[in-house]
Amino acid sequence: MSIQVSPLNLERYELKYLISPDMVEPISRFVEAYCYMDHFSEIADDKYYTINSLYLDSPSYFILHFKERANAFSFNMRIRSYGAGTAPPYFFEVKYKVREFVKKKRAKVSIPNWSDILEYDTIPDNVEEGSKGNLEDFLRQKITYNVGPVILTQYRRKAYISHVDDYARVTFDRDLRFHEANTWTVTPNEKLLSHYDHPESFEEPGKCVVLELKCEKKIPLWMIDLIRKFGLVGGSFSKFGNSMATHLGIPDVVSSGILYR
């Protein structure tokens, strides 16, 4: 089976649910009737692989406060890496969200000195053609909003890909950790990482699991059956918003407020 590569331009629905750890296995068994495991989960010892995201914001936290004020629309900017974060590729992403609908533009960068792009606002000659336009857009946004690194998050993901739909994914994210960032790096400092503890759900830090159902245009019937079978209650979870709010000491992070949508 070929490895499915995430497209550089993506429009999809993202339905998010906070679930307890003991729900992961039964939901996984249900999903496996319609999906195969993502390649990177398949080769991981425990079926979870590591994702690091360096989020950007302005000195006045424009993106964070815009997220707080917005009724429906929000966006974020990040550089993403996988595993230890010490080797290419790196992905420069701008993610726009209108309620549950997401439009994501990403650029793949395969050079080790990726930070030079952001330090000098220049695009290297060897960036693949399909990524060049998105990278130009990323730099325009960086300059427009005067953004720099503010927080680095890390979590572990188990992922499935549908074999009965053109595009559908199911992911489980756990062990969300974060630390403040002020340099261009996607390699976490293990001494600084702190667990995000969801105060209303589970007793132990890091035990919150985020289930995401992702699909294009129309929600598959099997996803609707999954939601009903397990009594899932819709909400959302912003890794950027909640990590930033926890770091800055903003109260009621996971109430029904905007950061939770």
Side-chain angles (χ1 to χ4, degrees):
M1 183 178 294
S2 60
I3 300 173
Q4 187 186 77
V5 178
S6 181
L8 298 177
N9 296 287
L10 188 60
E11 296 185 4
R12 68 189 183 194
Y13 285 98
E14 293 185 357
L15 309 178
K16 297 187 180 183
Y17 306 88
L18 290 175
I19 63 172
S20 60
D22 59 7
M23 293 179 68
V24 173
E25 284 311 307
I27 292 177
S28 295
R29 288 195 295 271
F30 181 97
V31 165
E32 285 166 1
Y34 308 95
C35 300
Y36 61 91
M37 191 168 283
D38 175 281
H39 169 75
F40 299 102
S41 283
E42 186 65 48
I43 63 176
D45 291 340
D46 63 353
K47 306 308 178 187
Y48 286 82
Y49 57 92
T50 301
I51 298 177
N52 312 295
S53 295
L54 176 67
Y55 285 97
L56 314 185
D57 207 340
S58 70
S60 62
Y61 301 128
F62 172 82
I63 294 177
L64 178 66
H65 294 315
F66 183 83
K67 197 177 190 71
E68 292 176 310
R69 293 191 301 266
N71 290 320
F73 173 76
S74 62
F75 74 102
N76 63 49
M77 299 179 65
R78 66 194 181 201
I79 296 96
R80 174 162 286 185
S81 69
Y82 296 86
T86 56
Y90 304 98
F91 295 91
F92 290 50
E93 300 181 348
V94 182
K95 183 177 181 180
Y96 306 92
K97 188 171 184 179
V98 180
R99 300 194 188 280
E100 289 83 17
F101 190 75
V102 166
K103 181 177 181 180
K104 184 163 70 172
K105 300 173 71 173
R106 64 187 340 216
K108 182 180 180 181
V109 174
S110 299
I111 57 174
N113 57 332
W114 60 270
S115 60
D116 287 353
I117 297 172
L118 298 157
E119 289 282 2
Y120 306 111
D121 297 327
T122 57
I123 297 175
D125 296 332
N126 58 346
V127 171
E128 15 182 299
E129 189 60 33
S131 291
K132 187 174 182 181
N134 286 352
L135 190 54
E136 290 173 342
D137 184 61
F138 189 98
L139 288 181
R140 278 195 297 270
Q141 299 275 47
K142 170 185 175 288
I143 294 168
T144 298
Y145 295 107
N146 186 30
V147 298
V150 291
I151 204 157
L152 194 157
T153 67
Q154 182 186 79
Y155 56 94
R156 309 200 67 231
R157 166 170 288 181
K158 180 167 74 167
Y160 290 92
I161 302 168
S162 172
H163 57 68
V164 296
D165 305 280
D166 291 336
Y167 177 90
R169 288 175 61 89
V170 176
T171 59
F172 300 90
D173 296 338
R174 64 177 177 85
D175 298 334
L176 173 61
R177 304 190 294 169
F178 65 91
H179 66 65
E180 182 181 13
N182 51 29
T183 59
W184 297 112
T185 180
V186 284
T187 305
N189 184 330
E190 289 291 331
K191 294 180 180 179
L192 297 179
L193 284 169
S194 300
H195 276 289
Y196 172 76
D197 180 14
H198 187 287
E200 297 177 352
S201 294
F202 312 112
E203 294 180 0
E204 296 180 52
K207 290 298 184 183
C208 173
V209 178
V210 182
L211 167 66
E212 295 189 40
L213 308 180
K214 308 172 186 183
C215 59
E216 291 181 311
K217 298 179 182 177
K218 187 176 180 180
I219 302 173
L221 290 176
W222 63 266
M223 282 190 176
I224 296 173
D225 288 343
L226 186 157
I227 293 167
R228 290 174 176 168
K229 178 179 175 64
F230 292 95
L232 301 177
V233 179
S236 189
F237 187 87
S238 167
K239 297 180 180 74
F240 166 66
N242 282 276
S243 296
M244 283 292 291
T246 302
H247 167 62
L248 296 173
I250 299 174
D252 300 324
V253 179
V254 291
S255 66
S256 57
I258 293 301
L259 287 177
Y260 185 56
R261 292 179 186 166

PDB file of all heavy atoms in Angstrom, residues 185-201:
ATOM      1  N   THR A 185      13.222  27.451  16.214  1.00  0.00           N
ATOM      2  CA  THR A 185      13.574  26.041  16.371  1.00  0.00           C
ATOM      3  C   THR A 185      12.302  25.215  16.487  1.00  0.00           C
ATOM      4  O   THR A 185      11.295  25.683  17.040  1.00  0.00           O
ATOM      5  CB  THR A 185      14.460  25.805  17.604  1.00  0.00           C
ATOM      6  OG1 THR A 185      14.771  24.397  17.696  1.00  0.00           O
ATOM      7  CG2 THR A 185      13.761  26.241  18.885  1.00  0.00           C
ATOM      8  N   VAL A 186      12.342  24.008  15.949  1.00  0.00           N
ATOM      9  CA  VAL A 186      11.223  23.078  16.128  1.00  0.00           C
ATOM     10  C   VAL A 186      11.692  21.856  16.910  1.00  0.00           C
ATOM     11  O   VAL A 186      11.033  20.821  16.919  1.00  0.00           O
ATOM     12  CB  VAL A 186      10.627  22.634  14.769  1.00  0.00           C
ATOM     13  CG1 VAL A 186       9.774  23.733  14.181  1.00  0.00           C
ATOM     14  CG2 VAL A 186      11.719  22.206  13.804  1.00  0.00           C
ATOM     15  N   THR A 187      12.828  21.983  17.576  1.00  0.00           N
ATOM     16  CA  THR A 187      13.343  20.921  18.433  1.00  0.00           C
ATOM     17  C   THR A 187      13.058  21.288  19.880  1.00  0.00           C
ATOM     18  O   THR A 187      13.644  22.225  20.411  1.00  0.00           O
ATOM     19  CB  THR A 187      14.863  20.740  18.231  1.00  0.00           C
ATOM     20  OG1 THR A 187      15.130  20.511  16.848  1.00  0.00           O
ATOM     21  CG2 THR A 187      15.374  19.564  19.052  1.00  0.00           C
ATOM     22  N   PRO A 188      12.135  20.590  20.531  1.00  0.00           N
ATOM     23  CA  PRO A 188      11.752  20.968  21.893  1.00  0.00           C
ATOM     24  C   PRO A 188      12.900  20.804  22.882  1.00  0.00           C
ATOM     25  O   PRO A 188      13.752  19.936  22.742  1.00  0.00           O
ATOM     26  CB  PRO A 188      10.624  19.984  22.226  1.00  0.00           C
ATOM     27  CG  PRO A 188      10.131  19.484  20.917  1.00  0.00           C
ATOM     28  CD  PRO A 188      11.329  19.464  20.018  1.00  0.00           C
ATOM     29  N   ASN A 189      12.900  21.667  23.889  1.00  0.00           N
ATOM     30  CA  ASN A 189      13.809  21.543  25.016  1.00  0.00           C
ATOM     31  C   ASN A 189      13.098  20.697  26.073  1.00  0.00           C
ATOM     32  O   ASN A 189      12.139  21.144  26.698  1.00  0.00           O
ATOM     33  CB  ASN A 189      14.152  22.925  25.577  1.00  0.00           C
ATOM     34  CG  ASN A 189      15.172  22.869  26.693  1.00  0.00           C
ATOM     35  OD1 ASN A 189      15.245  21.890  27.442  1.00  0.00           O
ATOM     36  ND2 ASN A 189      15.960  23.921  26.822  1.00  0.00           N
ATOM     37  N   GLU A 190      13.552  19.470  26.246  1.00  0.00           N
ATOM     38  CA  GLU A 190      12.879  18.529  27.156  1.00  0.00           C
ATOM     39  C   GLU A 190      12.784  19.073  28.577  1.00  0.00           C
ATOM     40  O   GLU A 190      11.845  18.769  29.310  1.00  0.00           O
ATOM     41  CB  GLU A 190      13.608  17.182  27.156  1.00  0.00           C
ATOM     42  CG  GLU A 190      13.440  16.383  25.879  1.00  0.00           C
ATOM     43  CD  GLU A 190      12.019  15.862  25.705  1.00  0.00           C
ATOM     44  OE1 GLU A 190      11.341  15.625  26.724  1.00  0.00           O
ATOM     45  OE2 GLU A 190      11.585  15.696  24.551  1.00  0.00           O
ATOM     46  N   LYS A 191      13.741  19.903  28.981  1.00  0.00           N
ATOM     47  CA  LYS A 191      13.733  20.435  30.351  1.00  0.00           C
ATOM     48  C   LYS A 191      12.635  21.473  30.557  1.00  0.00           C
ATOM     49  O   LYS A 191      12.207  21.718  31.680  1.00  0.00           O
ATOM     50  CB  LYS A 191      15.100  21.060  30.674  1.00  0.00           C
ATOM     51  CG  LYS A 191      16.245  20.054  30.716  1.00  0.00           C
ATOM     52  CD  LYS A 191      17.561  20.746  31.043  1.00  0.00           C
ATOM     53  CE  LYS A 191      18.706  19.745  31.089  1.00  0.00           C
ATOM     54  NZ  LYS A 191      20.005  20.406  31.374  1.00  0.00           N
ATOM     55  N   LEU A 192      12.173  22.063  29.446  1.00  0.00           N
ATOM     56  CA  LEU A 192      11.191  23.138  29.558  1.00  0.00           C
ATOM     57  C   LEU A 192       9.763  22.687  29.295  1.00  0.00           C
ATOM     58  O   LEU A 192       8.813  23.370  29.670  1.00  0.00           O
ATOM     59  CB  LEU A 192      11.543  24.268  28.583  1.00  0.00           C
ATOM     60  CG  LEU A 192      12.872  24.986  28.803  1.00  0.00           C
ATOM     61  CD1 LEU A 192      13.071  26.055  27.742  1.00  0.00           C
ATOM     62  CD2 LEU A 192      12.925  25.603  30.194  1.00  0.00           C
ATOM     63  N   LEU A 193       9.577  21.544  28.634  1.00  0.00           N
ATOM     64  CA  LEU A 193       8.247  21.106  28.242  1.00  0.00           C
ATOM     65  C   LEU A 193       7.352  20.871  29.456  1.00  0.00           C
ATOM     66  O   LEU A 193       7.741  20.232  30.427  1.00  0.00           O
ATOM     67  CB  LEU A 193       8.325  19.821  27.416  1.00  0.00           C
ATOM     68  CG  LEU A 193       8.772  19.978  25.957  1.00  0.00           C
ATOM     69  CD1 LEU A 193       9.053  18.618  25.340  1.00  0.00           C
ATOM     70  CD2 LEU A 193       7.713  20.712  25.141  1.00  0.00           C
ATOM     71  N   SER A 194       6.135  21.389  29.377  1.00  0.00           N
ATOM     72  CA  SER A 194       5.140  21.188  30.428  1.00  0.00           C
ATOM     73  C   SER A 194       3.913  20.523  29.822  1.00  0.00           C
ATOM     74  O   SER A 194       3.528  20.823  28.698  1.00  0.00           O
ATOM     75  CB  SER A 194       4.713  22.533  31.036  1.00  0.00           C
ATOM     76  OG  SER A 194       5.818  23.192  31.607  1.00  0.00           O
ATOM     77  N   HIS A 195       3.287  19.628  30.578  1.00  0.00           N
ATOM     78  CA  HIS A 195       2.054  19.005  30.116  1.00  0.00           C
ATOM     79  C   HIS A 195       0.922  20.015  30.153  1.00  0.00           C
ATOM     80  O   HIS A 195       0.823  20.840  31.059  1.00  0.00           O
ATOM     81  CB  HIS A 195       1.676  17.820  31.002  1.00  0.00           C
ATOM     82  CG  HIS A 195       2.362  16.547  30.620  1.00  0.00           C
ATOM     83  ND1 HIS A 195       2.058  15.857  29.481  1.00  0.00           N
ATOM     84  CD2 HIS A 195       3.346  15.841  31.229  1.00  0.00           C
ATOM     85  CE1 HIS A 195       2.811  14.769  29.414  1.00  0.00           C
ATOM     86  NE2 HIS A 195       3.607  14.742  30.464  1.00  0.00           N
ATOM     87  N   TYR A 196       0.049  19.921  29.151  1.00  0.00           N
ATOM     88  CA  TYR A 196      -1.216  20.651  29.235  1.00  0.00           C
ATOM     89  C   TYR A 196      -2.186  19.775  30.002  1.00  0.00           C
ATOM     90  O   TYR A 196      -2.440  18.635  29.632  1.00  0.00           O
ATOM     91  CB  TYR A 196      -1.795  20.983  27.850  1.00  0.00           C
ATOM     92  CG  TYR A 196      -3.178  21.551  27.987  1.00  0.00           C
ATOM     93  CD1 TYR A 196      -3.351  22.860  28.400  1.00  0.00           C
ATOM     94  CD2 TYR A 196      -4.303  20.759  27.805  1.00  0.00           C
ATOM     95  CE1 TYR A 196      -4.607  23.383  28.611  1.00  0.00           C
ATOM     96  CE2 TYR A 196      -5.567  21.271  28.020  1.00  0.00           C
ATOM     97  CZ  TYR A 196      -5.716  22.582  28.413  1.00  0.00           C
ATOM     98  OH  TYR A 196      -6.962  23.080  28.631  1.00  0.00           O
ATOM     99  N   ASP A 197      -2.738  20.301  31.074  1.00  0.00           N
ATOM    100  CA  ASP A 197      -3.673  19.548  31.904  1.00  0.00           C
ATOM    101  C   ASP A 197      -5.064  20.125  31.725  1.00  0.00           C
ATOM    102  O   ASP A 197      -5.314  21.278  32.070  1.00  0.00           O
ATOM    103  CB  ASP A 197      -3.248  19.654  33.375  1.00  0.00           C
ATOM    104  CG  ASP A 197      -4.185  18.880  34.298  1.00  0.00           C
ATOM    105  OD1 ASP A 197      -4.971  18.068  33.775  1.00  0.00           O
ATOM    106  OD2 ASP A 197      -4.115  19.094  35.510  1.00  0.00           O
ATOM    107  N   HIS A 198      -5.968  19.332  31.156  1.00  0.00           N
ATOM    108  CA  HIS A 198      -7.354  19.761  31.001  1.00  0.00           C
ATOM    109  C   HIS A 198      -8.033  19.677  32.364  1.00  0.00           C
ATOM    110  O   HIS A 198      -8.250  18.587  32.880  1.00  0.00           O
ATOM    111  CB  HIS A 198      -8.061  18.863  29.983  1.00  0.00           C
ATOM    112  CG  HIS A 198      -9.437  19.334  29.649  1.00  0.00           C
ATOM    113  ND1 HIS A 198     -10.495  19.214  30.510  1.00  0.00           N
ATOM    114  CD2 HIS A 198      -9.917  19.934  28.552  1.00  0.00           C
ATOM    115  CE1 HIS A 198     -11.584  19.704  29.945  1.00  0.00           C
ATOM    116  NE2 HIS A 198     -11.266  20.145  28.759  1.00  0.00           N
ATOM    117  N   PRO A 199      -8.382  20.788  32.992  1.00  0.00           N
ATOM    118  CA  PRO A 199      -8.810  20.774  34.390  1.00  0.00           C
ATOM    119  C   PRO A 199     -10.181  20.165  34.637  1.00  0.00           C
ATOM    120  O   PRO A 199     -10.507  19.854  35.767  1.00  0.00           O
ATOM    121  CB  PRO A 199      -8.812  22.259  34.760  1.00  0.00           C
ATOM    122  CG  PRO A 199      -9.038  22.963  33.467  1.00  0.00           C
ATOM    123  CD  PRO A 199      -8.341  22.130  32.427  1.00  0.00           C
ATOM    124  N   GLU A 200     -10.984  20.006  33.593  1.00  0.00           N
ATOM    125  CA  GLU A 200     -12.342  19.551  33.830  1.00  0.00           C
ATOM    126  C   GLU A 200     -12.552  18.081  33.478  1.00  0.00           C
ATOM    127  O   GLU A 200     -13.620  17.542  33.708  1.00  0.00           O
ATOM    128  CB  GLU A 200     -13.323  20.399  33.011  1.00  0.00           C
ATOM    129  CG  GLU A 200     -13.332  21.872  33.411  1.00  0.00           C
ATOM    130  CD  GLU A 200     -14.263  22.687  32.542  1.00  0.00           C
ATOM    131  OE1 GLU A 200     -14.770  22.132  31.564  1.00  0.00           O
ATOM    132  OE2 GLU A 200     -14.472  23.862  32.851  1.00  0.00           O
ATOM    133  N   SER A 201     -11.552  17.421  32.890  1.00  0.00           N
ATOM    134  CA  SER A 201     -11.813  16.103  32.345  1.00  0.00           C
ATOM    135  C   SER A 201     -11.154  14.960  33.100  1.00  0.00           C
ATOM    136  O   SER A 201     -11.809  14.014  33.495  1.00  0.00           O
ATOM    137  CB  SER A 201     -11.370  16.056  30.879  1.00  0.00           C
ATOM    138  OG  SER A 201     -12.165  16.905  30.101  1.00  0.00           O
TER     139      SER A 201
END
